[in-house]
Amino acid sequence: MARDKEKRSCGQVLAEWRAFVWDPRSRQVLGRTGTSWGLILLFYLLFYGFLAGLFALTMWVMLQSVDPHVPKYQDRLATPGMMIRPRAEGLDVSFNVSQSHTWLHYVRALHAFLEPYNDSVQAARNAACTPGRYNEQPDDGVPNYPKRACRFNRSLLGPCAGLGAADDYGYGAGRPCVLLKVNRVINFFPGMNKSINVVCAAKREEDAALLGPLQLFPPNGTIDLMYFPYYGKRVHVNYTQPVVAVQFSNATANVEHHVECRLNAAGLRADDERDKFAGRVAFRLRINRE
């Protein structure tokens, strides 16, 4: 029967660890000499330096093929998307008329969104364009020459403009306003030189009576052609997206309404079931009253 190894004391174990960390006889640190450690560090420095250089070179080559002003691929942007303001989780605008804390955040969000649309700001930054036609601005031999943007005055939104300091966009009276905006698409010419507008209705025909009449601002939900085309944020610096406001004047309370708004323009599809945000947006509205 083999003899059991003698059990080492804690002092012996500690001494062995000290010798491993630093051996004064062989002058080794963690089992390697200084030269060995230096060669290892040099190898990894060169190796990771090479990888970083290769990555930087790859990125540089890729960026040479990217135009900073215009996206390289726009083949899937034939129809722009639409979105609502105020932002609502799950596109669900729900509040209680008598409980202001349930709708004040909507009011603050609308105030913040519409601040750049103030008439004074628009007059200072943007130009008074000719309505009814595209605002085409050729480069005239100077690539990416800065473009002038057309004014979209906040006052065009009527009772949904929120121009008064105490204006609550109708939320306090149970007649809320929801803003609709079309996503920006570079060099997009909607409508084929014909007027375009936004139309809204109950998603289900049987719910139209419960939703009640809708008021659109500007009148008929019109979006003027002069706000197109968009040339990109680097060139079209002060571009202001046109918006349409829809006010629910007499929606039935304590009922969930399913609303759909569409961009109505010649040559533009807004009924593609594969993309429910192409040229349209659907959201829920619920106005609670106690």
Side-chain angles (χ1 to χ4, degrees):
M1 182 173 159
R3 295 180 57 189
D4 295 331
K5 292 183 179 180
E6 294 183 2
K7 189 175 181 180
R8 293 175 298 175
S9 66
C10 291
Q12 290 175 317
V13 173
L14 185 59
E16 289 180 1
W17 271 103
R18 285 176 180 171
F20 173 71
V21 173
W22 167 245
D23 188 345
R25 291 173 299 176
S26 59
R27 305 186 64 82
Q28 291 183 341
V29 178
L30 300 178
R32 290 183 180 274
T33 62
T35 302
S36 177
W37 279 114
L39 291 173
I40 289 176
L41 292 175
L42 179 62
F43 168 78
Y44 281 107
L45 181 64
L46 294 175
F47 177 69
Y48 286 113
F50 171 77
L51 291 181
L54 182 63
F55 175 77
L57 178 63
T58 304
M59 293 296 296
W60 181 82
V61 171
M62 184 193 70
L63 290 174
Q64 300 314 299
S65 66
V66 176
D67 189 331
H69 298 91
V70 180
K72 187 172 183 178
Y73 299 107
Q74 302 185 67
D75 56 316
R76 298 189 64 187
L77 299 177
T79 303
M82 291 184 67
M83 190 47 66
I84 66 169
R85 292 294 184 273
R87 292 179 184 270
E89 185 176 350
L91 297 178
D92 186 0
V93 180
S94 178
F95 64 98
N96 191 308
V97 174
S98 59
Q99 298 177 14
S100 61
H101 67 275
T102 63
W103 49 262
L104 275 177
H105 61 289
Y106 293 142
V107 173
R108 286 192 290 266
L110 289 173
H111 272 314
F113 176 76
L114 288 175
E115 189 172 351
Y117 291 83
N118 287 340
D119 292 14
S120 59
V121 175
Q122 290 295 305
R125 293 181 178 177
N126 296 339
C129 301
T130 303
R133 69 182 188 185
Y134 297 122
N135 184 31
E136 294 186 75
Q137 302 174 67
D139 286 334
D140 293 330
V142 183
N144 301 313
Y145 188 79
K147 314 297 183 184
R148 62 190 178 93
C150 297
R151 296 174 188 168
F152 187 96
N153 292 324
R154 185 172 178 173
S155 54
L156 292 173
L157 300 178
C160 294
L163 293 174
D167 199 319
D168 59 10
Y169 302 93
Y171 283 83
R175 303 177 64 201
C177 292
V178 174
L179 304 183
L180 305 159
K181 72 180 187 73
V182 180
N183 293 343
R184 303 178 184 186
V185 176
I186 295 176
N187 292 326
F188 175 57
F189 291 83
M192 301 172 128
N193 275 310
K194 298 177 182 178
S195 62
I196 61 177
N197 68 307
V198 172
V199 294
C200 295
K203 199 166 184 181
R204 296 175 295 193
E205 292 185 9
E206 59 270 24
D207 295 337
L210 294 174
L211 185 59
L214 307 179
Q215 292 180 290
L216 293 168
F217 305 93
N220 300 317
T222 301
I223 299 178
D224 202 286
L225 296 179
M226 67 181 178
Y227 301 110
F228 303 96
Y230 170 60
Y231 288 98
K233 65 179 181 180
R234 290 199 175 193
V235 177
H236 231 154
V237 178
N238 294 324
Y239 180 78
T240 307
Q241 288 172 272
V243 295
V244 171
V246 54
Q247 185 172 35
F248 301 88
S249 304
N250 193 27
T252 304
N254 303 317
V255 173
E256 189 172 87
H257 302 281
H258 295 264
V259 185
E260 184 173 77
C261 295
R262 294 172 177 254
L263 186 61
N264 183 27
L268 189 148
R269 286 191 60 189
D271 57 356
D272 189 348
E273 290 302 321
R274 295 173 299 176
D275 190 347
K276 297 185 181 297
F277 288 94
R280 58 179 169 166
V281 62
F283 59 95
R284 293 182 296 277
L285 173 70
R286 183 180 179 93
I287 305 169
N288 294 321
R289 293 181 185 271
E290 295 179 351

